[in-house]
Amino acid sequence: GTVAVGFAVSQVGEYTVTVVAAADRAAGLAPLMNLRLNQQRLGETVYVARTGWDAYGRTVRLAPGEHRLELEYINDGERPLPG
């Protein structure tokens, strides 16, 4: 699944984008997520190993204006269905 949020910055500069996530394993697999900013992937795939909340951050350079952050769980839905 994917979730997205829009936001704006007023000045050009270095910003840290932080996602707080926790693992809910499906069939023994920890979640894998990709972060995208303005449709550009931010770094490598993130392995969400902890079952407790943890912060995953990336530093980016942003221009003033509107931006869109997307978080995509790339192995979402791999949980076996009951029955």
Side-chain angles (χ1 to χ4, degrees), residues 53-75:
W53 296 105
D54 206 357
Y56 302 89
R58 300 282 189 267
T59 300
V60 295
R61 183 157 182 85
L62 296 175
E66 298 288 325
H67 300 278
R68 179 179 170 93
L69 176 67
E70 296 178 32
L71 181 150
E72 175 190 21
Y73 280 102
I74 61 174
N75 61 341

Side-chain angles (χ1 to χ4, degrees), residues 43-57:
E44 300 294 319
T45 297
V46 177
Y47 177 70
V48 184
R50 291 181 36 116
T51 55
W53 296 105
D54 206 357
Y56 302 89

